[in-house]
Amino acid sequence: MSFLDVKDLKIHFPTDDGLVKSVDGLSFGVERGKTLGIVGESGSGKSVTSLGILGLHKGGRARLSGEIWLDGEELIGASTEHVRSLRGKKMAMIFQDPLSSMHPYYTVGQQIIEAYRIHNDVSKQVARKHAVDMLGRVGIPEPARRVDSYPHEFSGGMRQRAMIAMALSCDPELLIADEPTTALDVTVQAQILDLMRDLQREFNSALIIITHDLGVVAELSDDILVMYGGKCVEYGSAEDVFYRPEHPYTWGLLGSMPRLDREPTERLLPIKGSPPSLINVPPGCAFHPRCPYAERTGDKATTEVPALAETEGGHLVRCHMSREERRGLWENEIKPVLETQ
Amino acid sequence: MSENEPLLSVQNMEKHFPVTKGLFKRQVGAVKAVDGISFDVFKGETLGLVGESGCGKSTTGRLVTRLLEPTAGKIVFEGQDISHMGQGRLRPLRRDMQMIFQDPYSSLNPRHTVGAIVGAPYRIQGVKTENGVKKAVQDILELVGLNPEHYNRYPHEFSGGQRQRIGIARTLALKPKLIIADEPVSALDVSIQAQVVNLLEDLQKELDLTYVVIAHDLSVVRHISDRVAVMYLGKIVEVADRKSLYSVPMHPYTNALMSAVPVPDPKVRKDRDRIRLKGDVPSPLNPPPACRFHTRCWKAQDICKKVEPPLAQMAEGHQVACHFPENAPELPAAETAAKTG
């Protein structure tokens, strides 16, 4: 069993308009020292998954089922109290928007100290010293002075660093970063990605990075999980997903993206239509209304949900087309077009 | 193209926002959002404006459409100086100059139907249409890929990508000559971004439009632009046609920006030495003297702190404002300084 093992996780929200199946049968694992990238568009269920792992849906209206094993402990059945005691110490999260996820009324230092003292029986002075250390570790200049600053006195990049310091203050073994750099400029994004990579190496924690940016995923991930409509559609090593992708949605994402590392093309190759509503996920394969190859599998596309099947060495794909058909399409049709980009 | 008169010509344009203090609103400083920039836009081309947040790119867009009045300098549109024109005289010109906004959620009035939103320009400008406004609006909706029967729907009934199409339809209503697009795709999902980028390109061909595209995403800008201007703290630091800017960037800042963009290729990350910029962008309230980039530049020498480098022609159509440009053919010395941050 991996350090984090998620099995058939379902997170459903009953609403007046119907049942929203945000996450519908997701399974994955992450080892210590490894990074999993979760990619998907808005509404694919990637953030809901991360909140689910942290136990932040408890007490809400969400209906959870499945299993989440963290270091041999099951979390879905565990008490709220117990999950709370793990949060911060065993697992921590870096949120997308550091300004709205830090408390504006308290100094950055107070917020780190609070989290540290909940899990460690130390005096305020010791905790404060630790906070200064952490701020220094993540590259904030003059940490001894900045520890008394309020979040609004920090720039965007510094706030994100402070948030990382806070998340790492108790040496969590699992760190989840939900769009950690989306709100940042590219030069600052590069700094934060470098920092996260260095810190992960130092702490040997398991890292889950959730993003819509394939570039960010490629920078950090060992494994990649592509989500669509609450389900995993492709899972594999970074090399599998970038060099041998087999799901039409992954092809679509790769074709939609203008790339700086290749010669520019005349046109991008977008996916037609827009992501599905989670109340009304299309029957059969959720991607079929947007899939250019849906007709190849006939009625099956609209009536039967394809299984997530292994194609080779841990590379999983959820598609009705046969392995040979997908590989043929990738090698002969998709790859040549993408490579000329 | 470049033999003709430019459609839009900006000369030493400045916008300083006053910072006031006290009861009598004494001016104590100024935010130098745009601080003396010059560029030309020729008919039929796309000029991309890139830079990080706070560099003044959006202010530039608002100045050339005269939503703001410049504090100094000249804006010439089709041979007419519009820099200080009053609202009354500007109104007829607004037909020729339209804007696409970033956020398709806040830029459409939620209480108006699509028909009212896209038809508003006709009403405001008093333009007569051949077969009535409704027909004209439906034609435009069709042109941007929306269903003309959705004329009576409200913005909330559409997805983000469709809303952006509504915004584009509105700008096209009066057949403008120049369109300023301020981050037209940054609020959209990856697969939808590609659709909108393709749409903008198709419309340009079909309607002979001229674009100024303002964006922070270097890969989108490269895809869509013919020429690109890079801004830093209210100044243009480099302008060139797309090919030479991206293949032989000369300004250190441009180099740093490009090396910061994450590459969606897991193999590349391992053997890439990225230029790491130190710190954040300084405040435009108190920008560094002389070359504004010297505080973060790895090549900075004494002269950079004393003399402001002019935007000088370094190669055909390639202007750079730097004392020690990289890849410059004329300057053999001093350019191979170590690339360490």
Side-chain angles (χ1 to χ4, degrees):
Chain A
M1 192 185 279
S2 314
F3 174 65
L4 172 75
D5 219 1
V6 174
K7 285 182 188 159
D8 197 30
L9 177 68
K10 288 185 181 157
I11 304 177
H12 295 178
F13 297 89
T15 67
D16 291 346
D17 298 323
L19 191 65
V20 178
K21 297 179 178 173
S22 289
V23 179
D24 204 23
L26 196 65
S27 303
F28 59 85
V30 196
E31 295 291 352
R32 279 202 185 84
K34 294 284 181 194
T35 303
L36 172 74
I38 301 184
V39 198
E41 296 181 276
S42 44
S44 61
K46 48 194 198 313
S47 295
V48 173
T49 307
S50 62
L51 297 178
I53 296 170
L54 286 174
L56 292 173
H57 289 306
K58 284 188 185 275
R61 61 195 308 185
R63 289 192 198 145
L64 276 83
S65 69
E67 296 166 42
I68 298 171
W69 292 88
L70 180 70
D71 204 8
E73 260 185 284
E74 212 283 315
L75 298 186
I76 287 194
S79 71
T80 313
E81 287 303 305
H82 184 63
V83 175
R84 184 184 294 153
S85 73
L86 296 175
R87 217 158 33 224
K89 180 132 190 93
K90 196 102 187 171
M91 53 188 182
M93 180 139 175
I94 299 169
F95 292 93
Q96 172 175 6
D97 179 2
L99 188 58
S100 56
S101 38
M102 285 175 122
H103 202 301
Y105 188 77
Y106 297 101
T107 65
V108 171
Q110 282 171 321
Q111 299 183 48
I112 300 178
I113 291 167
E114 183 195 6
Y116 190 62
R117 289 191 73 213
I118 285 174
H119 296 289
N120 297 280
D121 186 22
V122 293
S123 68
K124 273 193 184 155
Q125 284 69 33
V126 175
R128 188 183 151 88
K129 205 177 153 287
H130 182 71
V132 174
D133 278 353
M134 286 310 300
L135 290 177
R137 279 276 255 310
V138 297
I140 287 181
E142 299 179 72
R145 194 171 62 82
R146 300 307 298 224
V147 74
D148 293 319
S149 301
Y150 289 91
H152 75 266
E153 296 174 291
F154 278 17
S155 69
M158 271 165 60
R159 259 181 238 137
Q160 197 59 283
R161 282 167 192 271
M163 183 121 96
I164 293 176
M166 200 186 296
L168 291 176
S169 64
C170 299
D171 301 344
E173 290 159 80
L174 170 68
L175 188 62
I176 302 179
D178 188 357
E179 304 268 8
T181 58
T182 306
L184 305 174
D185 281 318
V186 276
T187 57
V188 182
Q189 166 172 293
Q191 294 169 359
I192 299 287
L193 292 181
D194 284 344
L195 174 70
M196 290 188 33
R197 189 179 306 134
D198 296 346
L199 291 172
Q200 190 202 14
R201 217 167 281 155
E202 188 182 334
F203 290 93
N204 195 35
S205 46
L207 178 65
I208 298 179
I209 179 154
I210 295 171
T211 175
H212 66 278
D213 186 331
L214 288 171
V216 171
V217 169
E219 290 273 331
L220 291 177
S221 311
D222 299 301
D223 291 325
I224 293 173
L225 190 159
V226 184
M227 280 189 85
Y228 189 80
K231 287 193 166 68
C232 166
V233 294
E234 183 154 11
Y235 180 89
S237 67
E239 282 76 18
D240 282 339
V241 173
F242 277 98
Y243 302 134
R244 297 173 289 278
E246 290 194 25
H247 198 282
Y249 178 62
T250 317
W251 298 340
L253 285 180
L254 290 169
S256 298
M257 212 181 26
R259 297 179 61 151
L260 272 189
D261 56 332
R262 296 200 179 138
E263 282 302 306
T265 31
E266 270 300 297
R267 283 179 80 73
L268 298 174
L269 308 164
I271 308 173
K272 65 181 178 186
S274 44
S277 141
L278 289 171
I279 290 185
N280 242 331
V281 181
C285 172
F287 188 59
H288 85 260
R290 305 178 74 189
C291 181
Y293 311 105
E295 282 162 14
R296 288 173 170 245
T297 52
D299 283 348
K300 247 165 115 187
T302 53
T303 53
E304 199 181 310
V305 179
L308 189 65
E310 182 158 15
T311 114
E312 198 176 358
H315 184 185
L316 311 177
V317 183
R318 191 189 287 281
C319 183
H320 279 311
M321 285 189 285
S322 69
R323 181 192 307 177
E324 290 68 35
E325 202 172 1
R326 294 191 304 250
R327 288 200 177 154
L329 279 172
W330 167 250
E331 287 296 334
N332 303 324
E333 288 187 28
I334 317 291
K335 197 173 158 200
V337 179
L338 290 181
E339 300 259 291
T340 55
Q341 280 191 14
Chain B
M1 264 186 300
S2 47
E3 303 86 67
N4 328 348
E5 278 285 286
L7 181 67
L8 173 77
S9 175
V10 170
Q11 290 146 25
N12 298 315
M13 181 170 74
E14 271 179 23
K15 179 70 189 177
H16 293 182
F17 294 98
V19 178
T20 55
K21 201 177 174 185
L23 180 63
F24 298 105
K25 302 263 177 216
R26 185 166 46 93
Q27 188 176 338
V28 292
V31 174
K32 294 171 181 151
V34 173
D35 204 18
I37 65 171
S38 306
F39 61 86
D40 290 332
V41 184
F42 296 94
K43 201 163 170 21
E45 77 167 347
T46 302
L47 175 74
L49 274 182
V50 273
E52 297 181 276
S53 46
C55 72
K57 55 191 194 304
S58 289
T59 307
T60 304
R62 282 160 191 268
L63 284 167
V64 298
T65 43
R66 278 302 320 282
L67 295 175
L68 290 171
E69 189 170 348
T71 38
K74 250 168 90 173
I75 304 165
V76 180
F77 180 69
E78 288 200 296
Q80 260 189 86
D81 184 352
I82 60 164
S83 13
H84 301 288
M85 219 177 238
Q87 289 303 325
R89 286 181 58 210
L90 270 174
R91 179 146 290 175
L93 286 174
R94 296 233 187 266
R95 267 185 223 187
D96 296 332
M97 215 182 343
Q98 289 283 324
M99 195 149 178
I100 300 172
F101 296 95
Q102 171 173 10
D103 183 358
Y105 291 85
S106 59
S107 60
L108 302 177
N109 188 332
R111 288 166 176 269
H112 287 187
T113 62
V114 171
I117 290 169
V118 180
Y122 296 111
R123 206 178 64 243
I124 292 165
Q125 292 278 351
V127 174
K128 295 276 176 293
T129 45
E130 257 175 57
N131 302 308
V133 170
K134 186 171 177 183
K135 178 81 181 61
V137 169
Q138 289 183 330
D139 287 348
I140 295 171
L141 290 180
E142 197 154 10
L143 183 69
V144 299
L146 290 169
N147 187 343
E149 283 162 25
H150 292 171
Y151 183 86
N152 279 321
R153 293 203 181 177
Y154 287 90
H156 74 263
E157 299 174 69
F158 294 90
S159 67
Q162 288 174 316
R163 282 159 172 257
Q164 197 59 303
R165 286 174 195 263
I166 299 171
I168 293 171
R170 175 174 58 185
T171 62
L172 291 177
L174 297 169
K175 305 198 164 45
K177 294 177 182 143
L178 176 68
I179 291 184
I180 315 281
D182 190 357
E183 302 275 9
V185 298
S186 59
L188 306 174
D189 271 321
V190 195
S191 68
I192 311 296
Q193 271 192 8
Q195 293 173 1
V196 172
V197 166
N198 281 351
L199 173 68
L200 287 173
E201 291 186 330
D202 292 344
L203 291 170
Q204 180 167 42
K205 262 178 232 143
E206 206 164 313
L207 305 173
D208 195 19
L209 297 168
T210 306
Y211 288 138
V212 174
V213 176
I214 299 165
H216 70 279
D217 185 329
L218 283 112
S219 29
V220 168
V221 166
R222 177 171 84 159
H223 185 85
I224 205 169
S225 309
D226 300 308
R227 285 192 308 135
V228 180
V230 183
M231 287 186 75
Y232 185 76
L233 270 182
K235 296 269 188 198
I236 289 181
V237 296
E238 184 161 5
V239 194
D241 60 84
R242 155 172 95 174
K243 193 153 184 278
S244 45
L245 187 90
Y246 283 87
S247 54
V248 277
M250 294 190 189
H251 199 282
Y253 178 64
T254 316
N255 274 294
L257 263 187
M258 284 204 237
S259 92
V261 175
V263 175
D265 188 341
K267 269 183 203 149
V268 175
R269 69 175 168 198
K270 277 148 201 145
D271 43 52
R272 195 158 68 117
D273 61 339
R274 178 189 276 156
I275 304 170
R276 289 187 187 204
L277 279 189
K278 289 168 290 182
D280 295 315
V281 183
S283 155
L285 188 61
N286 197 2
C291 175
R292 294 184 168 190
F293 188 57
H294 82 251
T295 52
R296 300 173 81 194
C297 184
W298 63 95
K299 297 176 97 180
Q301 300 188 13
D302 274 351
I303 185 172
C304 303
K305 296 169 194 160
K306 288 176 193 136
V307 185
E308 183 174 338
L311 191 64
Q313 186 101 353
M314 292 282 172
E316 177 69 36
H318 198 141
Q319 292 168 294
V320 187
C322 181
H323 291 300
F324 306 102
E326 311 219 334
N327 308 318
E330 300 94 318
L331 295 166
E335 81 267 64
T336 39
K339 277 189 192 177
T340 41

